[in-house]
Amino acid sequence: MAHDATIVWFRQDLRLEDNPAFLEAVRRGGPVIPVYVWAPAEEGAWAPGAASRCWLHHSLQRLEGRLEKAGSRLILRRGAAWDELESIARSTRAGALYWNRRYEPEIRRRDDMVKGRAHDLGLAVKDFNGALLVEPWEVTTRQGGPYKVFTPFWKAALDRLAPAEPVTAPRRVPAPESWPRSVRLESLGLAPRPDWAGGIREAWAFGEDAAWDRLETFLDASLDSYCDGRDQPGRDDTSRLSPYLHFGEVGPRQVWHAVQAAAAGRGSNAAKRGAEKFLSELGWREFSYSLLYNFPHLPAEPMQEKFAAFPWKHDAEAQRAWQRGRTGYPVVDAGMRQLWKTGWMHNRVRMIVASMLTKDLLISWQHGAAWFWDTLVDADLANNTQGWQWTAGCGADAAPYFRVFNPVSQGERYDPAGDYIRQWVPELAGLPGQWIHKPWQAPPDTLREAGVCLDDTYPSPIIDHSEARDRALAAFERIT
Ligand SMILES: Cc1cc2nc3c(=O)[nH]c(=O)nc-3n(C[C@H](O)[C@H](O)[C@H](O)COP(=O)(O)OP(=O)(O)OC[C@H]3O[C@@H](n4cnc5c(N)ncnc54)[C@H](O)[C@@H]3O)c2cc1C
């Protein structure tokens, strides 16, 4: 039995339950030294954005709390990851360094470097899968290459999928005799100054316990209605687990087993259908990771090469109107304001706003992806890249470019009573459902009674959708 310490390098796996690196470190015997290193410079162009940093602050605080309850600590450092890990390893005479894998290209390069250096220092290094149901290299076509289409990918993944039962964390974590130096969480500068994040704190609870509360609420209240409800932004029928999954406050294996158990326990067809659909959404997450791993250029370049020549426009004013939720299309503005206030946006609305940017306004998907990156609490390089390329029509298995979302009919279909608009665009709340998705067509009396004055209390559309659609299709023809 080993008596030297094991360093557990926490990254996007901010939980103790079913955390393979952490649990293996405990199993190895000897003291366990949990460490988090804030090293944004090592993430290349994709250092966590402002909303993600805010989430990370709270998530680390919760992890610290959980570790302290178990008689342990979270050692916090900032700087180059290897320099910090090396100094901790030397000062504690640690014998091993464990972590859970990440899949972003810059991080993989950094981790390879750390692995080499740690070996040279004589540490036993092990990395684990704490983030995915299947590794991105495990699901391949008959020819051995990666899948580029979701349905066969997920079918092949399901054939080989047998997620291990989640493992519970020990109540006590063995501590070293003396702890290495740690900086204070506040000194990492993750919490925004000045504090603009009240909306995020109001909308979310952070950490592992909150992730479980969220999951259980979803399973109790929404699993049965997920198939029908998941597309309606005015309802609360999706899980909202995305930031917890991104930061690893809950892992997909845990979610998988909890969903299967809930569906089996209820035994109804609705629960079975809901579970299948929900797990296939987790499948999209797996697919996105497979794409990012196998095509690491995707965050910067379109999957379909012809799109590199697409005649995108530069229109700072329109881009700003889109960012601020002032396009004059209520469903778009509602989504962008939900994002700005809470750091999250409903999936259906993400597709609508992304279509508005890339097709109506002809502004490149990279600009949209960058804005989401900064403002989403669930900003995730694999999912965000895939979501943007899908909507822009340039990705693997993407919506075809000629599928231009109509912001009025999408609103009328998925938010028929206008509840979502009333919540996020309160200046339109007095309009009847018939006009709430197209206020510029409402009769003057109706507008007056609702207290809406176009171009004063709410903007007219910044672009005519049907003209924009024709313009988009013409632009597309130039590259085909
Ligand atoms: C333009 C665009 C950008 C996006 N950017 C992100 C992002 O940065 N981070 C992110 O996690 N998701 C992103 N998505 C995917 C999706 O919108 C969110 O995962 C989802 O809205 C999160 O809400 P939820 O947890 O309630 O989802 P649920 O419907 O409850 O789904 C459960 C989980 O499955 C995964 N999932 C669901 N839909 C997708 C999808 N289409 N692609 C990949 N995984 C999915 C998520 O991890 C999600 O938490 C993006 C989609 C689009 C169209």
Side-chain angles (χ1 to χ4, degrees):
M1 168 157 156
H3 293 287
D4 54 16
T6 307
I7 298 172
V8 181
W9 181 18
F10 282 87
R11 298 118 62 85
Q12 274 172 199
D13 51 347
L14 304 179
R15 66 178 184 276
L16 298 190
E17 304 293 328
D18 202 43
N19 180 326
F22 170 69
L23 293 166
E24 271 301 309
V26 174
R27 213 167 290 142
R28 180 171 177 265
V32 172
I33 305 175
V35 174
Y36 183 88
V37 186
W38 173 238
E42 294 176 2
E43 312 228 8
W46 301 103
S52 298
R53 285 199 298 274
C54 167
W55 187 287
L56 181 59
H57 173 87
H58 293 288
S59 190
L60 288 172
Q61 202 171 43
R62 296 301 182 280
L63 184 64
E64 269 184 331
R66 269 221 69 173
L67 283 164
E68 276 165 23
K69 266 195 200 146
S72 181
R73 282 191 199 174
L74 181 62
I75 300 303
L76 293 171
R77 294 283 182 97
R78 64 184 306 162
W82 171 245
D83 292 351
E84 298 306 320
L85 292 167
E86 182 184 17
S87 104
I88 294 169
R90 288 187 188 279
S91 69
T92 58
R93 298 175 191 279
L97 170 63
Y98 290 179
W99 69 76
N100 293 310
R101 285 187 278 279
R102 288 181 57 182
Y103 303 89
E104 298 84 351
E106 293 283 342
I107 295 294
R108 279 166 54 200
R109 269 191 289 277
R110 191 269 315 266
D111 289 354
D112 284 347
M113 179 275 286
V114 169
K115 201 177 262 184
R117 301 265 175 98
H119 275 304
D120 293 347
L121 195 67
L123 294 173
V125 186
K126 283 191 189 168
D127 58 2
F128 301 85
N129 173 7
L132 294 175
L133 294 170
V134 280
E135 293 285 13
W137 51 86
E138 282 175 353
V139 183
T140 54
T141 62
R142 277 212 194 99
Q143 293 71 39
Y147 281 97
K148 294 184 190 165
V149 179
F150 173 71
T151 306
F153 166 85
W154 189 229
K155 190 173 173 307
L158 283 174
D159 283 346
R160 66 188 329 287
L161 207 63
E165 284 285 339
V167 183
T168 50
R171 291 168 66 89
R172 303 294 298 171
V173 179
E177 272 171 25
S178 70
W179 285 98
R181 175 179 62 79
S182 176
V183 300
R184 280 164 46 82
L185 178 57
E186 287 66 28
S187 77
L188 301 184
L190 300 171
R193 294 280 172 271
D195 180 12
W196 46 258
I200 292 180
R201 286 195 302 274
E202 211 175 283
W204 299 95
F206 308 90
E208 189 167 10
D209 292 343
W212 276 97
D213 286 349
R214 193 63 231 140
L215 176 57
E216 279 160 15
T217 305
F218 168 71
L219 294 176
D220 287 347
S222 304
L223 186 62
D224 295 19
S225 50
Y226 182 73
C227 288
D228 302 325
R230 62 181 285 274
D231 262 325
Q232 299 188 28
R235 287 169 57 166
D236 197 12
D237 269 345
T238 69
S239 71
R240 298 192 188 220
L241 280 176
S242 47
Y244 303 102
L245 281 162
H246 170 76
F247 285 99
E249 290 161 43
V250 67
R253 281 193 297 266
Q254 296 167 293
V255 176
W256 175 275
H257 283 284
V259 170
Q260 300 284 22
R266 231 163 285 166
S268 68
N269 263 344
K272 192 166 164 256
R273 279 180 56 234
E276 219 168 273
K277 184 71 195 160
F278 179 78
L279 294 176
S280 81
E281 295 305 320
L282 280 188
W284 273 97
R285 179 175 181 270
E286 300 284 322
F287 181 53
S288 305
Y289 272 84
S290 167
L291 290 173
L292 179 65
Y293 180 84
N294 290 296
F295 304 97
H297 61 283
L298 287 186
E301 291 164 39
M303 182 85 175
Q304 297 178 38
E305 283 167 20
K306 65 182 180 201
F307 273 88
F310 192 88
W312 301 113
K313 292 197 177 312
H314 290 280
D315 184 342
E317 205 180 316
Q319 192 172 328
R320 188 153 180 85
W322 176 83
Q323 290 171 342
R324 298 293 166 179
R326 307 275 309 159
T327 66
Y329 285 101
V331 72
V332 173
D333 295 342
M336 298 308 290
R337 295 183 198 185
Q338 179 180 31
L339 173 63
W340 185 247
K341 176 110 197 275
T342 69
W344 186 87
M345 193 197 299
H346 189 277
N347 179 58
R348 167 62 44 187
V349 191
R350 292 188 201 205
M351 294 192 280
I352 299 170
V353 304
S355 181
M356 167 63 58
L357 187 78
T358 56
K359 295 181 180 174
D360 292 60
L361 301 176
L362 291 179
I363 294 174
S364 92
W365 61 272
Q366 284 101 331
H367 285 301
W371 182 254
F372 270 31
W373 187 257
D374 203 36
T375 52
L376 277 171
V377 289
D378 66 20
D380 181 282
L381 196 58
N383 287 356
N384 197 40
T385 304
Q386 183 274 122
W388 276 96
Q389 291 216 20
W390 185 92
T391 323
C394 60
D397 197 10
Y401 186 81
F402 52 78
R403 183 164 176 219
V404 182
F405 282 71
N406 179 325
V408 175
S409 55
Q410 287 279 316
E412 289 173 341
R413 179 161 174 204
Y414 294 110
D415 183 33
D419 298 336
Y420 184 66
I421 307 298
R422 289 195 177 81
Q423 182 178 3
W424 295 108
V425 191
E427 64 268 37
L428 298 180
L431 278 178
Q434 186 188 358
W435 303 112
I436 200 161
H437 292 289
K438 45 187 178 202
W440 64 94
Q441 290 181 10
D445 283 353
T446 308
L447 288 175
R448 206 172 312 115
E449 275 164 34
V452 177
C453 183
L454 287 179
D455 294 324
D456 179 10
T457 62
Y458 185 70
S460 297
I462 56 169
I463 195 159
D464 177 282
H465 173 68
S466 62
E467 282 171 21
R469 184 172 185 281
D470 293 345
R471 193 176 66 147
L473 297 182
F476 179 60
E477 294 217 326
R478 283 167 55 190
I479 61 158
T480 46

